[in-house]
Amino acid sequence: MNVENTIRYAGIYATKTPNKAAIIIAETQQSLSYKDLHEYALKFVNIYDSFGLLYGDHVAFLTENRIECPALQCGAHYAGLYYTFINTRLKLPEVLYIVEDCDAKIIILSAQYCTQELVDAIQQLEKKPIIFVLDDSNVSGIIKLDSLLKMASIQVNRTLLEGNEMLYSAGTTGQPKGIKPELTRLPVGTTEIIANQVEKAFAVTDQTIYLSPAPYYHAAPVKWCRAILTLGGTVVLMEKFEAEKALETIEKYKITHSQWVPTMFHRILDLPLSILNQYDYSSLKVVIHAAAPCSIPTKQKMIEWWGPIIYEYYGSTEQIGMTMSNTQDWIDHPGTVGRAIYGVVHILDDGGEELSTGKIGNVYFSDSAKFSYHKDPAKTLDAYNIKGWACVGDIGYLDEDKFLYLTDRKSNMIISAGVNIYPQETENILIQHSEVMDIAVIGIPHPYFGESVHAVVQLYNHHRASDDLIKELDSFCRSHISSIKCPRSYEFRQDLPREPNGKLLKRLLRDEYYLK
């Protein structure tokens, strides 16, 4: 694990460049200076301390993209806590599961999500977290942050120790699992893995103006925005991604660095040429895409339009390693996700033996930080081999120049518009419908989203198959789980391919779509 000799974190710039904008909301121009950001974070350290939180305890946030998001993050990070931004598209039971599973001592809500139903449900949990609300609210059973922040001091009488995010990723059973990095017990700003990576690979500096168009609860915004602030740059946060608004923002704020998922590229390229040519993109130095496969034609169009400034990286929420490919790398090695810039890549067979160049196997990383799956020691143990190298289920190979290519995933995970979707959870819902005898949920190719969630349904009575039943199944699914996990398409079959032992052969279903 790399440890910097120089302490680097957002608070340094509260002294160096106190009035510089640390965060800007693209749509409203609302901003927070480095001085204000730092003081906000220090107040939260004192608030957390006053409520008895200890090093390594957990806080959770449920809020839309807003100016406070990076500030809330910095406050928890300074305090040496784990913190989780909860997906705002989740249904009530899904939110409650994460709040309970992460052992949140405090949950902070924005007024938009602070409903009496949610607050009452949280208060019924066995371990009842304290509930704060960011805005004015008439909901009972909550503590309003405004009064606490007004009274809180910015003088902290203890060492600020590094905290860390704990993001959630579903497991093989479909239940989300918290990905828990080890805390360093070092002073805040001592160890900054992501900041080191983006500085090295993407030339991020204190002059960087970074556009973050995605929801803050995703891994990239949480990790990258704090990295930009660690290095003294400015984060321009969009409340919601809109294609033309993103282009307008690039021109308006002279964006130098930005990060996208391929779906955003598609939506931008779908705009009329008159709009595409309307804005000035000359400030752009680095345009990054990640999180999902990007089609070759789409990437080629982006390179033709914005030039050789398109970068791609591959990593995981577990943060076991990272590869990077610049435009020329990708042209010279079509399909690559790049060479390692953090950790060392190894390709192993199922027996744990390292494979030679060009051989397909399990993608492992060594020489990186350790993590665990929260409350799942078996899954954690399974992620590591005897040498301490980690694998999260991806399959691929290395070429002679050590460029990595991904070919498959061991799990059935679907990546749609940059979002990881685990089909077991969707199947568990749809199988409860009275008409459904068997169900398989798979990812199929989609020109915009990379993959689309597709349901193959076996009914008790195949003659009931109809468009009306599809609408009924869709409504049933959406009433139980987040719409992003629900199928975008359905088909009915008289039987599904299963082995005699009952194992569903999803590969055969996927091959029908991918091998056309």
Side-chain angles (χ1 to χ4, degrees):
M1 183 168 62
N2 295 325
V3 177
E4 290 290 313
N5 294 323
T6 303
I7 296 293
R8 299 197 295 183
Y9 71 112
I12 299 296
Y13 300 93
T15 301
K16 292 177 64 176
T17 52
N19 298 319
K20 179 180 178 178
I23 312 154
I24 301 172
I25 298 297
E27 292 86 347
T28 64
Q29 302 182 56
Q30 183 185 13
S31 66
L32 203 62
S33 71
Y34 267 99
K35 179 176 182 292
D36 291 339
L37 170 67
H38 184 55
E39 290 183 353
Y40 191 99
L42 292 174
K43 287 185 176 185
F44 263 98
V45 173
N46 283 322
I47 289 171
Y48 292 139
D49 286 353
S50 70
F51 279 87
L53 271 67
L54 303 174
Y55 181 78
D57 280 343
H58 204 112
V59 295
F61 312 117
L62 183 62
T63 173
E64 69 278 12
N65 281 16
R66 54 190 289 163
I67 198 78
E68 290 90 350
C69 286
L72 288 170
Q73 181 180 10
C74 286
H77 198 84
Y78 285 15
L81 304 176
Y82 284 109
Y83 46 89
T84 296
F85 281 86
I86 300 173
N87 187 329
T88 58
R89 299 183 66 177
L90 297 180
K91 301 291 186 182
L92 177 61
E94 298 168 304
V95 172
L96 293 175
Y97 171 83
I98 290 176
V99 172
E100 189 168 38
D101 183 74
C102 76
D103 299 317
K105 297 292 182 69
I106 287 175
I107 180 169
I108 298 177
L109 310 173
S110 67
Q112 181 174 338
Y113 298 100
C114 185
T115 65
Q116 193 67 62
E117 180 185 20
L118 174 60
V119 170
D120 289 346
I122 290 173
Q123 291 176 335
Q124 295 302 312
L125 297 175
E126 183 178 349
K127 299 177 181 177
K128 301 177 180 64
I130 301 165
I131 305 171
F132 292 165
V133 65
L134 285 168
D135 317 286
D136 192 25
S137 174
N138 294 322
V139 173
S140 61
I142 58 175
I143 297 174
K144 296 180 181 179
L145 272 172
D146 280 350
S147 56
L148 289 177
L149 288 168
K150 287 176 183 176
M151 294 185 295
S153 171
I154 61 171
Q155 302 299 319
V156 176
N157 298 317
R158 68 172 178 86
T159 302
L160 300 179
L161 298 175
E162 292 182 324
N164 217 323
E165 75 277 346
M166 190 168 99
L167 300 167
Y168 269 77
S169 178
T172 55
T173 62
Q175 285 283 28
K177 293 295 180 186
I179 296 168
K180 197 169 188 178
E182 287 186 348
L183 294 183
T184 64
R185 297 191 176 274
L186 296 171
V188 68
T190 304
T191 306
E192 290 293 346
I193 294 172
I194 299 296
N196 295 341
Q197 291 170 355
V198 301
E199 182 180 46
K200 174 183 176 182
F202 306 107
V204 171
T205 70
D206 59 0
Q207 299 303 303
T208 293
I209 305 173
Y210 175 74
L211 175 61
S212 182
Y216 206 82
Y217 55 74
H218 283 314
V222 165
K223 292 174 181 286
W224 282 65
C225 287
R226 199 178 65 77
I228 301 299
L229 296 173
T230 296
L231 298 171
T234 296
V235 170
V236 179
L237 186 65
M238 293 188 73
E239 293 176 327
K240 181 181 179 182
F241 172 76
E242 294 180 4
E244 184 176 358
K245 184 66 180 179
L247 301 182
E248 177 188 327
T249 300
I250 291 171
E251 177 183 86
K252 182 175 183 178
Y253 294 101
K254 294 181 171 52
I255 300 297
T256 63
H257 292 63
S258 58
Q259 185 169 177
W260 316 76
V261 296
T263 303
M264 294 176 181
F265 283 169
H266 290 302
R267 291 182 180 174
I268 289 172
L269 292 171
D270 277 347
L271 292 171
L273 277 175
S274 58
I275 292 178
L276 293 178
N277 295 329
Q278 181 178 334
Y279 299 100
D280 179 9
Y281 315 108
S282 60
S283 62
L284 285 174
K285 297 179 180 178
V286 175
V287 174
I288 306 156
H289 74 88
C294 184
S295 70
I296 290 176
T298 297
K299 189 159 182 175
Q300 287 173 332
K301 287 179 182 177
M302 293 302 298
I303 292 171
E304 290 169 5
W305 182 29
W306 277 344
I309 61 171
I310 309 296
Y311 290 71
E312 178 176 3
Y313 74 86
Y314 158 69
S316 65
T317 307
E318 289 85 348
Q319 205 169 306
I320 61 169
M322 184 177 180
T323 67
M324 187 273 286
S325 168
N326 61 30
T327 300
Q328 193 58 52
D329 289 336
W330 185 80
I331 291 172
D332 294 340
H333 302 80
T336 185
V337 293
R339 280 192 286 204
I341 61 169
Y342 173 63
V344 178
V345 181
H346 306 270
I347 307 297
L348 307 183
D349 64 19
D350 288 339
E353 296 297 318
E354 196 149 8
L355 297 171
S356 58
T357 298
K359 297 291 186 180
I360 295 174
N362 302 299
V363 179
Y364 278 80
F365 281 88
S366 65
D367 300 273
S368 55
K370 301 296 182 184
F371 78 96
S372 64
Y373 291 107
H374 187 53
K375 299 180 180 177
D376 198 336
K379 184 175 174 66
T380 303
L381 185 64
D382 191 53
Y384 287 91
N385 69 3
I386 195 170
K387 295 181 180 179
W389 303 349
C391 176
V392 294
D394 290 312
I395 298 173
Y397 66 92
L398 291 169
D399 68 14
E400 293 181 352
D401 297 319
K402 300 297 183 183
F403 281 89
L404 177 64
Y405 300 75
L406 299 178
T407 59
D408 203 350
R409 292 182 297 275
K410 278 193 170 181
S411 70
N412 293 317
M413 184 179 72
I414 300 165
I415 303 179
S416 183
V419 178
N420 294 348
I421 299 166
Y422 291 81
Q424 182 68 55
E425 188 176 7
T426 309
E427 291 165 352
N428 289 343
I429 296 299
L430 287 171
I431 198 65
Q432 298 177 48
H433 192 280
S434 60
E435 298 280 353
V436 176
M437 178 180 178
D438 203 355
I439 180 79
V441 174
I442 61 173
I444 63 174
H446 191 283
Y448 288 92
F449 302 126
E451 287 185 314
S452 176
V453 182
H454 180 71
V456 185
V457 183
Q458 181 182 354
L459 301 174
Y460 285 102
N461 182 356
H462 187 68
H463 296 293
R464 289 275 295 139
S466 66
D467 288 343
D468 285 341
L469 183 54
I470 287 176
K471 292 177 183 177
E472 184 178 326
L473 291 173
D474 188 55
S475 177
F476 180 82
C477 191
R478 289 170 182 269
S479 69
H480 288 82
I481 57 175
S482 172
S483 61
I484 200 166
K485 301 175 184 178
C486 296
R488 296 179 64 88
S489 56
Y490 291 77
E491 67 172 304
F492 297 104
R493 299 195 182 189
Q494 294 192 11
D495 56 71
L496 297 182
R498 287 189 180 273
E499 291 182 342
N501 64 4
K503 182 180 179 182
L504 180 63
L505 300 175
K506 285 189 176 181
R507 174 181 54 81
L508 299 180
L509 296 172
R510 286 195 297 263
D511 285 351
E512 293 179 23
Y513 291 89
Y514 281 93
L515 299 181
K516 286 182 178 180

